[in-house]
Amino acid sequence: MLFPPRCPLCDEPVERGRTGFCKECSGKWKPEVHFISGEGHKFAEGAFLCKYEEAALAMYRFKYGGRREYGKVFGRQMACEMKYLLQEWGADGIVPIPLHPRRIRKRGYNQAQVLASALGEQAGIPVYTNLLERCRDTAPQKELNALERQNNLKKAFKIYKNDVKLSTIIIVDDIYTTGTTVDEAASVLLAGSVKKVYVLTLASGMG
C-alpha cells in the first residue's frame, strides 16, 4: 500500500486490483514482434518487442531509475506476444545477460534477469541465472563505436556453473543494438555443450 507498483508508461501508481499498466494507459501501447536475422551472428535467430524510441522513458526508468517492477510487466508481455516463437524454438532454458557484480551493487538488480524471470515463469521455461558470469566490468556499449564494442566485450563472459546440460538456449537482454553483447555470450555458451542459441530482447535500438 505504501509503495504500489507503477505503470511502465506514465509511472503513476497502478490502481489496486490491476496488474501491469494503469487504467489510463491500458491498451495504449501496442507492441509488435520484430525479427532479428542470425546471419553473420553466433545466434540462430532473434526477436524484440518494440523499437527503443517507443519505450525510451520506460526503459530508462527500468534500467536506471529503480523501477524493477517494470521488468515483470514487460517480461510477461514478451512471453505472451512471443508465445509462438518460444514454442517453435523449443528451448531447454533461458539465460539472462549477466551484469558485473559492481554494476548490480550500484543498480540493485540486473534488468535482464528481471525480464528473463518473468518471461520464464509465464512461459514455463527454466531460467538459469548462474550459468554465465560477467567477469569484466566493461564500459557501456552505447558510448563506443562498432570496433570498440567488439574489443570491449572480448572475454567479458565465462561459464560460471555448468552442472546442467542444455542443448538450446534463449539469451534475454533488455536492448539489442549491434548484437555484440549477445554474440559474445552466445560464443561462450556454444563453446560448451549448447548446440543452438536464440535471442529475445525487450527493445532494439537498431537504425
Side-chain angles (χ1 to χ4, degrees):
M1 293 178 66
L2 293 177
F3 302 99
R6 292 181 176 270
C7 173
L9 293 187
C10 67
D11 200 42
E12 291 297 320
V14 176
E15 299 91 340
R16 186 181 300 180
R18 296 187 66 89
T19 58
F21 301 99
C22 70
K23 186 176 181 180
E24 292 295 321
C25 292
S26 182
K28 282 186 179 180
W29 187 50
K30 301 184 184 301
E32 181 181 349
V33 178
H34 304 262
F35 290 94
I36 305 169
S37 172
E39 186 175 355
H41 292 286
K42 301 295 183 181
F43 58 88
E45 190 179 21
F48 59 93
L49 194 59
C50 69
K51 296 178 181 178
Y52 179 78
E53 57 267 23
E54 296 172 0
L57 284 175
M59 292 199 65
Y60 184 86
R61 291 191 293 256
F62 170 43
K63 195 168 184 174
Y64 302 111
R67 292 290 187 253
R68 182 174 186 160
E69 66 265 35
Y70 287 11
K72 297 177 182 179
V73 177
F74 286 133
R76 290 194 295 265
Q77 194 154 29
M78 287 171 68
C80 292
E81 298 294 332
M82 298 170 170
K83 183 178 180 179
Y84 66 98
L85 270 182
L86 297 172
Q87 294 173 342
E88 180 181 317
W89 291 348
D92 304 309
I94 293 172
V95 175
I97 289 291
L99 278 183
H100 190 272
R102 189 178 294 114
R103 295 285 180 91
I104 294 179
R105 286 195 296 271
K106 182 178 180 180
R107 194 170 298 171
Y109 55 89
N110 175 0
Q111 70 278 0
Q113 184 174 325
V114 177
L115 284 171
S117 296
L119 190 158
E121 181 180 6
Q122 184 77 23
I125 302 175
V127 178
Y128 297 91
T129 60
N130 293 322
L131 185 60
L132 275 182
E133 177 186 9
R134 194 149 194 159
C135 47
R136 290 179 50 233
D137 189 8
T138 55
Q141 289 288 87
K142 63 182 180 181
E143 300 175 359
L144 309 175
N145 61 37
L147 181 59
E148 289 171 336
R149 287 176 186 230
Q150 291 179 352
N151 293 330
N152 184 47
L153 286 166
K154 284 182 178 179
K155 298 182 179 180
F157 304 109
K158 69 177 182 180
I159 297 290
Y160 174 72
K161 188 176 181 181
N162 195 22
D163 57 357
V164 293
K165 298 299 180 183
L166 303 173
S167 177
T168 303
I169 280 179
I170 296 174
I171 291 176
V172 168
D173 204 0
D174 58 334
I175 185 168
Y176 179 96
T177 306
T178 63
T180 306
T181 302
V182 291
D183 261 353
E184 186 64 25
S187 295
V188 173
L189 293 169
L190 291 168
S193 60
V194 177
K195 304 301 181 187
K196 187 170 285 189
V197 175
Y198 294 97
V199 171
L200 289 181
T201 67
L202 171 58
S204 172
M206 293 187 299

